[in-house]
Amino acid sequence: MKEPSELSGVDVDRPNAARMYDYYLGGSANFEVDRVAAEAGKAAMPDAVTYARSNRAFLGRAVRYLCSVGVDQFLDLGSGIPTVGNVHEIAQEANPRARVAYVDIEPVAVAHGRRLLAGVDGVTTTQADIRDPASVLSAPGVADLLDFDRPVAVLAVAILPFVTDDAEAAALVAAYRQACVPGSYLVISHIAQLAASREQVAEAEQVMARTPTPVVWRSADRIAPLFNGYALVPPGLLPAPQWRPDGPVEAEHIARANAYAGVGLLR
């Protein structure tokens, strides 16, 4: 990891959600300011690491499922900093011709992605704000790689909490849906109050309010409308560890993940 002075255009004075998430996952693409904020997040929400890792595990299961039903194009919104088990690794293991367009606004995430993916066929990394679908969809790394006349899986894993207005979040998802043809999919995971107390939720939101990307926790009945226009794939929208698990899951772990997840099929 370069020192802050070597990274042009990177804000190292304020903690960043992507770099905090990287820290929770055990990565090294983070700075002291991120680690301090992440530890504050853990103090407010002791299950923060469980949440991050449960999201990552769900992403892997969802991608493997999509490959099993023939999906070979993926648009990963808010993809974050590359770490073990990236979408392209999972997808191209199942289908070497699979194509993956990563999109993130964070310069460190994009820089790491481009360095990691140099020379990898069928994969791009684009720096763009996912809240501007027109810019994302027209970016060369997306438009020149993905064929939207064929099914595309839009991945919105642990990213929609950063779109704090419910109407804006719904409109955002709808814009990506409208770019896709029937047979496409939407994958969502979203932070939710399961094991967390109201006080922990409030304190965790306060920690993130000190970053450029505040978050909102949503209940299942506020997450479900984000799938409007899609048919939920069984087993539906439920706590992330329960979505097609690889094996038995302890009840305590289900709650401590503090996240709902689901996959929708565009009819």
Side-chain angles (χ1 to χ4, degrees):
M1 183 69 180
K2 294 183 178 180
E3 293 299 318
S5 59
E6 301 177 63
L7 292 163
S8 175
V10 176
D11 182 358
V12 297
D13 296 320
R14 298 179 68 188
N16 175 274
R19 301 192 305 254
M20 290 169 65
Y21 195 73
D22 173 72
Y23 176 73
Y24 287 144
L25 291 173
S28 59
N30 49 75
F31 303 124
E32 180 65 21
V33 67
D34 306 308
R35 295 187 284 273
V36 170
E39 288 297 331
K42 285 169 62 178
M45 179 57 59
D47 294 325
V49 173
T50 301
Y51 164 75
R53 293 180 179 176
S54 294
N55 272 291
R56 194 73 186 178
F58 162 70
L59 172 63
R61 297 195 304 275
V63 171
R64 286 192 291 273
Y65 165 77
L66 292 168
C67 289
S68 77
V69 296
V71 176
D72 63 0
Q73 300 190 104
F74 300 84
L75 175 60
D76 191 356
L77 302 175
S79 52
I81 293 169
T83 186
V84 175
N86 287 305
V87 172
H88 75 278
E89 293 174 333
I90 298 169
Q92 292 188 344
E93 182 178 3
N95 180 356
R97 294 187 299 277
R99 290 179 277 183
V100 179
Y102 293 113
V103 179
D104 205 287
I105 196 172
E106 213 286 312
V108 171
V110 173
H112 275 251
R114 287 175 175 165
R115 183 160 56 248
L116 175 72
L117 300 173
V120 179
D121 291 335
V123 189
T124 60
T125 301
T126 296
Q127 184 171 1
D129 188 343
I130 66 109
R131 294 171 297 182
D132 185 354
S135 294
V136 169
L137 294 167
S138 63
V142 176
D144 294 347
L145 179 70
L146 304 181
D147 177 2
F148 283 89
D149 290 328
R150 298 175 51 243
V152 174
V154 177
L155 311 179
V157 174
I159 190 64
L160 293 174
F162 298 104
V163 185
T164 57
D165 180 79
D166 285 6
E168 182 185 359
L172 180 68
V173 172
Y176 288 105
R177 183 185 70 236
Q178 289 163 8
C180 296
V181 298
S184 296
Y185 287 82
L186 172 66
V187 177
I188 292 176
S189 70
H190 199 297
I191 196 165
Q193 184 183 349
L194 296 177
S197 67
R198 290 182 180 180
E199 292 75 17
Q200 287 175 322
V201 172
E203 190 171 350
E205 289 183 339
Q206 288 173 9
V207 169
M208 293 307 298
R210 298 196 290 270
T211 78
T213 49
V215 300
V216 63
W217 295 46
R218 289 186 172 97
S219 58
D221 62 357
R222 291 173 65 194
I223 299 168
L226 298 173
F227 284 101
N228 284 350
Y230 293 86
L232 279 169
V233 170
L237 177 67
L238 69 175
Q242 290 184 298
W243 197 90
R244 296 178 179 259
D246 296 324
V249 183
E250 296 181 2
E252 181 183 4
H253 177 71
I254 292 170
R256 290 180 58 200
N258 286 304
Y260 278 98
V263 175
L265 168 64
L266 182 60
R267 298 292 192 181

